Amino acid sequence: MANDTEEFNIDALADYEEEGEGNDKNKQKNGDATTTSKPGGQTAFLNTTFRDLLLIPELLRAIVDSGFELPSTVQSKALPAALIGTDILCQAKAGTGKTAIFVLGVLQQLSTFKGTSSSSSSSSGSSSSSSSGSSSSSKPSESKDSNNGSNSKDSKEGNSSNNNKEKLVSCVVLCHNRELAYQIYDEFNRFSKYLQDSVSVGVFFGGTKSQADRDRLKNDGQPDIVIGTPGRTLQLVKENCLKLSAVKYFVIDECDQVLEQLGMRSDVQRIFKSTPRAKQVMMFSATLSKELKGVCSKFMRSPLEIVVEDQKSLVVSTLNQYAVELKEEEKTRKLLELLDELEFNQVMIFVSSQARAEALDTLLKEQAFPSVSMWGKLDQVERIKRFKEFKDFKHRVMVSTNMLGRGIDVVRVNVVINYDMAGSVEMYLHRVGRAGRFSTKGLAISFVRVGDEEEKGVLEKVRKTCGIAVPDLPNKIDPNSYMNKNN
């Protein structure tokens, strides 16, 4: 465990190339050279199904329940490696299912290791999972035997030795904000629902009382999978509340956002050094600079690299994008016109500040639009409540700052409006990527302020550097171009 007084060089990360032990094993498994996906390598694996990837029956059943039919290109490339413990550095378009790669990879390995899947044992069952975390309540399994605490359905030969040991954390997933942590927690629960009597998930993030986390860990024990923001996770590790000595899987989602902030990178280092040297490391993002790619690689051993090196490939082709120049005082009128004219399931509207989010949300509610707003300094409990309500379709319009601009997946969002233009090409790509996810149709409209050269510059970079067609907004948009057949 990291010592409080120990000094860390945030640029001197754990570089396994300097360590001989354990490196040859990965090279034999993954080859001497890393595999990089070039811009031209995004062709779909047309004949690949989830069953072809040798997923266990419980996961296949959960995938079917979730409505997924075929894996995306990036899933077809990365999942086979994730399932056998290979380190992965993956950069791919928003909305292509990167989260499912590490969720399915970890769940399959964890369930197989524990011997609780139907493919590795003679029986399997589903019951309520025991989970711990800041935004979840722990629910004991109803099938526990009161005498020895073991699950009566899963009292299998060969598992008795594991039952006598103190349970420790097997997987750590880090991300940059609470909403994404909450969303990843939901994904683990969604795909593990037929393994719930054997896998527990805990989520931990700042903005809540840390004593509640300590009490939960003391009462419920260590979860199999920890999802958290670096600050709160490190705090619990330093207090010896989270025990990471048996971690086998270490994941960073939106790794560029986590590692480009030096304070957060330092926290990640400390957590990383509290885990065993031999483990699988996976990192994912939609955008990744060459500099940060080098930082990421220092955490890994011979990783499989799936990296889009050309920004032209970072936005899904099914997303229609338009821009319109407006004076500041014309924006609200144009927004109301669009909301009246467009057909949408849910829409996300991005603004530049908390004050503008609150003001625009209030105005939309006055106009009878089912709106809700979010920003970074909103009370934590209220943030989670509003985010969950939006995902549950209780609100159809979300007004947000950049905090929801990346990593967040709300399946019904098919329209994104940049009320205030994004400040960079990267943030533009992340924002518009909230629509058109999983190759569904979507629409993104950006308001560019008349006379604002900075906003015009971002749009021109999107058009030229990324090669993305962002024509002027037409008077009429065909709903068939952004509405899916089943909408």
Side-chain angles (χ1 to χ4, degrees):
M1 187 172 67
N3 190 316
D4 286 344
T5 61
E6 182 180 356
E7 299 214 355
F8 286 82
N9 178 353
I10 52 181
D11 291 317
L13 303 180
D15 193 340
Y16 285 107
E17 294 303 318
E18 298 177 2
E19 302 289 341
E21 187 176 358
N23 213 22
D24 291 338
K25 179 180 178 181
N26 271 284
K27 286 189 176 182
Q28 290 173 2
K29 178 169 56 179
N30 197 35
D32 290 332
T34 56
T35 303
T36 305
S37 177
K38 301 295 182 181
Q42 296 298 308
T43 305
F45 287 47
L46 296 178
N47 296 322
T48 303
T49 68
F50 283 108
R51 190 174 297 277
D52 294 332
L53 300 177
L54 303 182
L55 291 166
I56 58 177
E58 293 86 351
L59 295 181
L60 289 172
R61 186 178 173 192
I63 289 169
V64 171
D65 286 357
S66 299
F68 298 114
E69 297 179 358
L70 296 172
S72 66
T73 300
V74 68
Q75 288 172 341
S76 296
K77 290 181 177 181
L79 257 174
L83 293 171
I84 62 172
T86 303
D87 287 4
I88 296 174
L89 176 60
C90 178
Q91 177 199 5
K93 305 172 186 179
T96 54
K98 295 186 293 294
T99 302
I101 295 170
F102 65 81
V103 170
L104 293 173
V106 168
L107 288 175
Q108 171 131 330
Q109 292 186 82
L110 190 57
S111 62
T112 303
F113 173 79
K114 298 175 80 170
T116 56
S117 73
S118 60
S119 60
S120 60
S121 63
S122 59
S123 64
S124 67
S126 67
S127 63
S128 298
S129 94
S130 172
S131 41
S132 63
S134 299
S135 65
S136 63
S137 60
S138 180
K139 186 162 43 173
S141 169
E142 295 176 359
S143 59
K144 298 267 184 180
D145 188 303
S146 59
N147 294 324
N148 58 18
S150 65
N151 191 310
S152 58
K153 288 185 180 181
D154 292 319
S155 54
K156 306 174 184 65
E157 184 178 355
N159 259 359
S160 57
S161 59
N162 287 337
N163 291 336
N164 294 328
K165 296 179 181 179
E166 179 188 8
K167 189 173 76 170
L168 299 174
V169 176
S170 293
C171 173
V172 173
V173 182
L174 299 176
C175 57
H176 67 288
N177 68 25
R178 306 151 192 172
E179 284 70 31
L180 185 53
Y182 178 82
Q183 177 173 290
I184 295 169
Y185 169 79
D186 278 350
E187 290 299 288
F188 269 105
N189 283 335
R190 173 164 68 149
F191 288 115
S192 68
K193 63 182 179 178
Y194 298 114
L195 297 169
Q196 283 182 345
D197 50 358
S198 62
V199 177
S200 58
V201 186
V203 59
F204 306 93
F205 39 71
T208 59
K209 293 182 179 180
S210 58
Q211 186 59 46
D213 292 334
R214 297 188 198 99
D215 293 342
R216 191 170 287 111
L217 288 166
K218 181 179 179 180
N219 295 331
D220 301 339
Q222 302 287 297
D224 294 304
I225 299 167
V226 165
I227 304 160
T229 52
R232 176 56 60 86
T233 303
L234 177 61
Q235 178 185 355
L236 295 171
V237 170
K238 287 163 64 177
E239 294 170 349
N240 203 31
C241 295
L242 277 176
K243 305 179 189 300
L244 307 185
S245 61
V247 166
K248 303 176 184 67
Y249 320 103
F250 190 93
V251 181
I252 304 180
D253 198 15
E254 298 296 335
C255 59
D256 61 328
Q257 187 77 0
V258 173
L259 296 176
E260 73 183 0
Q261 301 180 42
L262 297 185
M264 200 176 292
R265 189 193 300 180
S266 178
D267 289 347
V268 172
Q269 275 186 269
R270 292 172 181 261
I271 298 167
F272 190 82
K273 291 185 177 183
S274 299
T275 63
R277 187 168 293 274
K279 59 183 175 292
Q280 181 182 20
V281 180
M282 295 182 279
M283 299 190 188
F284 301 83
S285 182
T287 55
L288 194 63
S289 67
K290 290 183 179 179
E291 178 185 0
L292 279 173
K293 178 184 170 185
V295 172
C296 293
S297 65
K298 288 180 177 289
F299 287 91
M300 301 179 171
R301 289 180 282 195
S302 302
L304 169 70
E305 294 182 9
I306 302 174
V307 179
V308 178
E309 296 181 338
D310 189 344
Q311 287 182 312
K312 294 180 181 180
S313 302
L314 289 178
V315 177
V316 292
S317 59
T318 53
L319 179 66
N320 293 280
Q321 301 172 65
Y322 299 99
V324 56
E325 284 196 40
L326 297 167
K327 295 179 181 178
E328 182 63 35
E329 61 270 22
E330 297 174 331
K331 285 185 176 182
T332 301
R333 181 185 294 270
K334 187 62 178 179
L335 176 65
L336 294 176
E337 289 177 0
L338 289 171
L339 293 179
D340 278 332
E341 294 171 359
L342 294 174
E343 297 180 20
F344 61 85
N345 297 319
Q346 286 182 296
V347 58
M348 294 188 73
I349 303 169
F350 288 102
V351 295
S352 59
S353 69
Q354 170 186 336
R356 290 171 75 79
E358 290 182 282
L360 188 57
D361 179 37
T362 299
L363 184 147
L364 291 173
K365 286 175 179 173
E366 290 174 351
Q367 298 297 317
F369 287 103
S371 175
V372 66
S373 60
M374 289 185 64
W375 55 89
K377 294 184 178 180
L378 184 65
D379 174 75
Q380 175 58 40
V381 174
E382 185 64 19
R383 272 174 66 171
I384 294 299
K385 175 178 174 290
R386 294 185 186 187
F387 180 63
K388 187 175 188 305
E389 287 178 349
F390 185 63
K391 289 198 72 171
D392 291 343
F393 206 53
K394 293 180 180 178
H395 304 282
R396 294 184 64 195
V397 179
M398 168 65 79
V399 183
S400 177
T401 57
N402 283 336
M403 64 165 290
L404 290 186
R406 56 185 298 154
I408 300 302
D409 178 28
V410 182
V411 295
R412 295 184 182 91
V413 172
N414 64 321
V415 176
V416 168
I417 298 176
N418 284 317
Y419 184 91
D420 293 327
M421 185 62 176
S424 67
V425 172
E426 290 75 17
M427 184 49 66
Y428 175 90
L429 295 175
H430 281 292
R431 281 184 178 186
V432 301
R434 297 316 97 205
R437 301 182 70 78
F438 299 103
S439 298
T440 59
K441 296 178 182 178
L443 174 66
I445 299 173
S446 298
F447 294 173
V448 179
R449 193 161 44 199
V450 172
D452 192 317
E453 296 304 318
E454 185 176 343
E455 292 190 359
K456 289 183 179 179
V458 172
L459 180 60
E460 286 308 306
K461 285 183 180 178
V462 169
R463 286 169 169 164
K464 294 179 180 178
T465 307
C466 301
I468 299 172
V470 187
D472 293 338
L473 181 68
N475 293 328
K476 198 75 175 176
I477 302 175
D478 181 4
N480 291 322
S481 69
Y482 63 90
M483 291 291 289
N484 296 286
K485 291 181 180 180
N486 58 343
N487 287 337

